[in-house]
Amino acid sequence: MALFTWNHSYSVKVAMCDQQHKKLFEIINELADAMRMGQGHEVVAKSVGDLLTYTQTHFQQEEALMKKANYPQLAPHQEMHRKFVAEVEALHNQAKQGKAANSIQVLNLLRDWLVNHIMKVDKQYSEPLNAAGIC
């Protein structure tokens, strides 16, 4: 059962980023399902690891597009990405050590990222990237 559902309101009007955001939703939903079903720390550690790996790849590609378009808010955007990666790395390290992360805290972090970052921060690059021919 999906906790977070991607819909068109999340679109940043950049096809590659939208596809990657959809994949992030899938990974986050897999993690939420594993946590909800009380699965072992191995499953949670794998899900958090997948999230970490995919997030890093997505951020690198998204930042490359912003750089190509001379997006003026690139530096603060990169800082937000760096902070999120650090938080996910901390969760991954906890999970690898068999320490149970607080499910509510983790899901709140992920929900906040999806809602606030994509809906408020990422959407700000739509127009400048589209104007630079990146759609």
Side-chain angles (χ1 to χ4, degrees):
M1 180 175 118
L3 185 61
F4 304 105
T5 304
W6 193 93
N7 62 57
H8 192 68
S9 71
Y10 286 99
S11 176
V12 295
K13 297 178 177 65
V14 177
M16 182 188 80
C17 294
D18 282 347
Q19 284 305 114
Q20 291 177 350
H21 288 159
K22 288 176 188 178
K23 179 65 177 173
L24 287 172
F25 272 67
E26 289 175 24
I27 293 169
I28 289 169
N29 281 321
E30 288 170 9
L31 175 59
D33 288 345
M35 295 174 103
R36 185 175 33 247
M37 295 186 329
Q39 293 182 335
H41 68 271
E42 297 88 7
V43 174
V44 174
K46 182 194 176 307
S47 295
V48 174
D50 291 347
L51 176 64
L52 179 61
T53 300
Y54 196 80
T55 299
Q56 290 170 323
T57 300
H58 165 64
F59 289 165
Q60 289 171 354
Q61 293 175 357
E62 186 178 69
E63 290 169 8
L65 293 177
M66 287 187 267
K67 186 174 183 178
K68 183 178 177 182
N70 294 314
Y71 182 59
Q73 295 300 312
L74 175 59
H77 204 116
Q78 287 172 310
E79 181 62 18
M80 287 180 219
H81 286 170
R82 188 196 63 71
K83 286 180 181 177
F84 183 74
V85 167
E87 290 179 273
V88 176
E89 281 176 337
L91 292 172
H92 188 235
N93 289 334
Q94 282 181 344
K96 285 193 314 189
Q97 295 170 7
K99 297 178 183 173
N102 179 321
S103 299
I104 294 171
Q105 181 183 15
V106 171
L107 294 178
N108 283 341
L109 167 71
L110 299 177
R111 184 196 68 234
D112 180 63
W113 183 260
L114 291 176
V115 173
N116 290 319
H117 187 79
I118 293 174
M119 294 293 285
K120 295 177 182 171
V121 179
D122 282 354
K123 282 193 170 237
Q124 292 176 10
Y125 67 62
S126 297
E127 203 172 297
L129 267 65
N130 291 168
I134 302 169
C135 300

